[in-house]
């Protein structure tokens, strides 16, 4: 789980309408777009808060083009993030001045989670500008916004664009998706990582699951054997082992491992995480 400070700035390009930007990073499906029909609102406020599909598609295409040039993976459209982005974009339209959170509004993590997103990393860019191209160009010229858009740690995006007061209000919510895995699936993934070391994997998960559910102690297995080492950790990704555990596995001092998963402890906002214990014998 990652949480970083955001940045705020106002850019005044060579045009009649000033462009306002705001970026925040918080340390989390087939492509689809919101179905609201594009509509223009060149005067007054768009009370309905309809998402402009064509403009959202343009921002997605420009973001993926920039990521392609940078050698990064393409962002996939996430309907849950799109719902969260639209929710916030409507708040911006009502308020006028842009921000990442208004009095009475949920924060980024909470509104994404309430929209159904599961994530380990989440980031957001917001802006007011005259066209999608102007907004994207300004985001790319701003270090904080560019870092969000070109982050290698995100793979999903939801975008909302609303026309109001003669300008476009835009929100990009980025995240790294965390899949919904059962305890058996978590244990199988970790077993693959442990198996590379060449030691055997115990069939009995009871002791490891018991160890996972506690903060200390060395539970014995069914044969009454106490583990010589235990590593407990919690993380939204299962792509590598903790360094301490990797060092123990490479030492050649252990013959087998037991792996157990249990419900993760509380995490901030809507962040999703997995809790695991590995016992070495």
């Amino acid at each position: 789980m990652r949480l970083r400070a955001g940045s705020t700035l106002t850019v005044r390009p060579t045009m009649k309408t000033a462009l306002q930007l705001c970026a925040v990073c918080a340390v989390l499906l087939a492509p689809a777009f919101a179905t609201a029909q594009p509509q223009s609102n060149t005067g007054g406020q768009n009370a309905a808060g309809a998402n402009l599909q064509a403009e959202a598609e343009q921002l997605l295409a420009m973001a993926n083009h920039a990521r392609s040039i940078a050698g990064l993976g393409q962002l996939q459209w996430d309907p849950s993030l799109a719902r969260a982005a639209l929710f916030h974009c409507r708040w911006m339209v009502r308020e006028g001045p842009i921000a990442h959170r208004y009095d009475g509004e949920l924060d980024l993590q909470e509104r994404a989670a309430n929209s159904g997103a599961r994530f380990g990393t989440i980031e957001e860019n917001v802006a007011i500008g005259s066209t999608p191209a102007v907004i994207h160009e300004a985001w790319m010229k701003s270090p904080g916004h560019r870092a969000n858009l070109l982050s290698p740690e995100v793979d999903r995006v939801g975008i909302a664009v609303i026309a109001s007061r003669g300008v476009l209000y835009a929100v990009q919510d980025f995240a790294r998706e965390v899949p919904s895995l059962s305890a058996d699936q978590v244990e199988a993934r970790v077993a693959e990582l442990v198996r590379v070391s060449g030691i055997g994997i115990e069939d009995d998960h009871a002791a490891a699951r018991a160890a996972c559910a506690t903060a200390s102690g060395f539970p014995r297995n069914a044969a009454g054997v106490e583990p010589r080492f235990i590593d407990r950790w919690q993380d939204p990704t299962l792509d590598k082992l903790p360094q301490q555990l990797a060092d123990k596995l490479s030492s050649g001092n252990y013959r087998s491992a037991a792996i157990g998963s249990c419900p993760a402890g509380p995490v901030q906002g809507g962040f999703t995480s997995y809790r695991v214990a590995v016992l070495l014998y």
Side-chain angles (χ1 to χ4, degrees):
M1 180 177 68
R2 292 162 49 97
L3 180 62
R4 297 180 295 178
S7 60
T8 304
L9 72 158
T10 299
V11 180
R12 298 190 180 278
T14 55
M15 60 179 60
K16 294 181 179 178
T17 303
L19 176 83
Q20 299 176 36
L21 300 176
C22 190
V24 65
C25 306
V27 236
L28 205 15
L29 314 202
F33 288 94
T35 57
Q37 294 300 312
Q39 67 180 45
S40 112
N41 182 10
T42 56
Q45 182 170 327
N46 182 355
N51 191 33
L52 303 185
Q53 179 178 341
E55 283 78 357
E57 289 182 6
Q58 290 176 48
L59 286 172
L60 175 60
M62 288 184 283
N64 276 333
H65 178 68
R67 289 176 66 88
S68 178
I69 292 173
L72 298 168
Q74 298 290 280
L75 297 170
Q76 300 299 312
W77 186 267
D78 188 304
S80 297
L81 292 175
R83 286 192 292 272
L86 183 57
F87 177 88
H88 183 61
C89 200
R90 286 171 173 162
W91 272 84
M92 294 201 307
V93 169
R94 286 196 296 269
E95 297 290 335
I98 61 174
H100 285 285
R101 184 176 179 273
Y102 300 97
D103 290 343
E105 185 192 19
L106 298 175
D107 63 22
L108 171 59
Q109 302 99 290
E110 292 173 317
R111 64 178 179 261
N114 284 358
S115 296
R118 296 175 56 89
F119 50 88
T121 297
I122 190 162
E123 307 170 350
E124 182 173 83
N125 285 346
V126 302
I128 296 174
S130 58
T131 68
V134 167
I135 291 171
H136 173 77
E137 181 180 1
W139 276 338
M140 290 295 291
K141 289 181 178 178
S142 164
H145 304 82
R146 181 185 179 93
N148 285 353
L149 202 149
L150 297 183
S151 172
E153 298 181 4
V154 299
D155 56 12
R156 297 289 188 273
V157 70
I159 303 171
V161 182
I162 296 175
S164 184
R165 301 181 179 90
V167 294
L168 299 178
Y169 288 74
V171 178
Q172 281 182 325
D173 285 346
F174 308 92
R176 174 175 288 278
E177 183 186 42
V178 176
S180 179
L181 302 177
S182 67
D184 289 342
Q185 290 172 319
V186 171
E187 291 163 359
R189 287 202 178 188
V190 175
E192 292 175 2
L193 299 175
V194 172
R195 195 172 285 113
V196 173
S197 67
I199 73 171
I201 305 296
E202 300 279 336
D203 293 330
D204 187 359
H205 299 276
R209 289 173 179 173
C212 179
T214 61
S216 61
F218 282 67
R220 298 175 182 271
N221 62 16
V225 179
E226 186 176 276
R228 297 168 55 201
F229 173 81
I230 296 180
D231 199 347
R232 303 171 173 90
W233 75 95
Q234 186 165 306
D235 199 88
T237 62
L238 298 172
D239 53 0
K240 65 179 180 179
L241 298 172
Q243 189 58 51
Q244 178 180 231
L245 176 57
D247 292 341
K248 292 289 185 180
L249 290 170
S250 63
S251 70
N253 296 328
Y254 303 92
R255 60 174 179 79
S256 66
I259 301 164
S261 178
C262 61
V267 292
Q268 181 183 8
F271 290 106
T272 300
S273 195
Y274 300 110
R275 183 167 174 81
V276 186
V278 173
L279 285 54
L280 299 183
Y281 299 92

